[in-house]
Amino acid sequence: MAPKTARARRLGLALRTHREAAGLTLEAAADEINSTRSTLSRYENAQSPVKPATVRALLTLYGVAPDEVNAAVQLAKDARKPGWWVSYSYLLDRRTIDFIALEAEATGIANFEPSVVPGLLQTADYIRGVMRGGPHTLSDEEVEQRVKVRLDRQERLTGDAPPILDAIIDEGALFRPVGDRSVMDGQLRHLLKMSELPNITVQVIPLAAGYHRGTRGSLHILEFADPEDPIIASVETVAGQMILDRPGDLRTCTKIMEHLRTVALSPTGSRDQLLQLLKGR
């Protein structure tokens, strides 16, 4: 099963929208192309890759204009291209792969972390400490493989057309040692360095803020360039990343993220706090 990328989601939405506009049920449309209701449903929900020829046949059946058909066919071709993360499919669970595929296409990333430094801003040594303290016992080789995955995810931040990253960190995460003192010092310096980039904002929620709406767990919100791509939220669970795309869940997650921004220190105040933590170590 291919990762549910933003392109695959957009293509599935187009297939469903045009089918409904044509007044056809899943069964009727599937019959016309000698397929099944369940297969067509998987295409529309981006749960299975759809061949460009199938896209052309379906949209032609629905009476879609040739220009739109050609654009959708190209989208199908793009959606089937493997991303860099495919080589790590053997290493990571399905939910994590799906999240990485979506994150790789996001133009805006908002991330709150209550217990650790956000993954996209972690140093290699910090990642090693997190992996060794995780829920699974990993060999040194397995740890290094996961370090490589996370560092590969970070490359977009300093590459061409980087995404906007708004990282919010609970101050408690900065007091929690991961590795030895040199690891934490290096991590704090890295946060300060990354916060200087024009596409990255780092905010710290001080302990003095008390219990807040994000205390229960981490939260990601991804935004995409195409206005037809709805935002995606993701929360961390003991079972891994859980992707949320229902309107009600998205509204709740958006409100929580807005609240976290208001209780956090300003970017300048957060930088000062990071400097104080580094000096006080």
Side-chain angles (χ1 to χ4, degrees):
M1 187 180 292
K4 190 181 292 189
T5 63
R7 285 170 292 187
R9 289 171 57 242
R10 192 186 321 148
L11 181 60
L13 179 62
L15 290 174
R16 183 174 72 249
T17 300
H18 287 303
R19 174 180 59 77
E20 291 174 347
L24 292 173
T25 64
L26 280 168
E27 291 86 349
D31 285 345
E32 290 291 337
I33 63 166
N34 296 317
S35 186
T36 65
R37 180 189 186 283
S38 61
T39 298
L40 193 51
S41 177
R42 289 197 298 272
Y43 292 159
E44 293 185 359
N45 289 295
Q47 294 173 336
S48 295
V50 52
K51 294 180 180 179
T54 302
V55 171
R56 185 177 297 280
L58 284 169
L59 295 186
T60 301
L61 169 67
Y62 302 155
V64 177
D67 286 351
E68 284 191 71
V69 173
N70 291 335
V73 168
Q74 184 59 51
L75 186 59
K77 292 178 180 178
D78 292 341
R80 292 170 66 87
K81 293 177 182 177
W84 63 263
W85 56 84
V86 169
S87 60
Y88 294 109
S89 297
Y90 72 97
L91 184 69
L92 303 172
D93 63 82
R94 173 70 196 193
R95 289 178 175 178
T96 301
I97 287 290
D98 277 347
F99 176 78
I100 290 175
L102 289 167
E103 180 189 74
E105 297 182 5
T107 52
I109 304 170
N111 178 205
F112 165 72
E113 293 292 345
S115 303
V116 294
V117 170
L120 290 177
L121 298 177
Q122 293 175 359
T123 65
D125 285 338
Y126 188 95
I127 298 168
R128 291 187 182 96
V130 169
M131 294 302 171
R132 291 189 176 117
H136 306 292
T137 301
L138 303 173
S139 67
D140 288 346
E141 181 181 356
E142 289 171 329
V143 168
E144 290 307 313
Q145 288 173 328
R146 283 164 171 77
V147 170
K148 177 76 164 55
V149 174
R150 192 156 295 182
L151 294 179
D152 284 349
R153 286 170 60 189
Q154 295 177 6
E155 287 187 0
R156 283 194 69 212
L157 295 177
T158 53
D160 295 332
I164 300 296
L165 172 63
D166 291 330
I168 306 175
I169 314 168
D170 194 283
E171 189 175 18
L174 303 176
F175 282 110
R176 178 172 292 105
V178 174
D180 59 25
R181 177 168 179 167
S182 66
V183 173
M184 290 304 296
D185 285 353
Q187 181 61 73
L188 289 171
R189 285 194 292 270
H190 184 65
L191 281 173
L192 285 164
K193 178 182 177 182
M194 296 300 283
S195 69
E196 294 175 355
L197 296 178
N199 59 308
I200 296 177
T201 299
V202 175
Q203 288 182 265
V204 176
I205 297 180
L207 292 176
Y211 189 90
H212 53 75
R213 295 180 188 175
T215 306
R216 293 185 178 182
S218 66
L219 173 63
H220 285 82
I221 294 180
L222 307 179
E223 298 182 15
F224 304 92
D226 194 308
E228 293 185 6
D229 287 336
I231 67 170
I232 283 291
S234 175
V235 294
E236 186 78 26
T237 72
V238 292
Q241 296 282 154
M242 179 174 291
I243 295 173
L244 308 174
D245 55 9
R246 294 180 179 178
D249 292 335
L250 293 175
R251 283 193 296 271
T252 298
C253 291
T254 300
K255 288 180 179 178
I256 290 174
M257 193 66 79
E258 290 172 352
H259 169 76
L260 295 174
R261 288 190 177 98
T262 63
V263 298
L265 299 171
S266 68
T268 300
S270 296
R271 182 176 175 79
D272 291 342
Q273 186 71 359
L274 290 170
L275 285 168
Q276 285 297 113
L277 289 171
L278 189 56
K279 290 177 182 178
R281 291 185 56 77

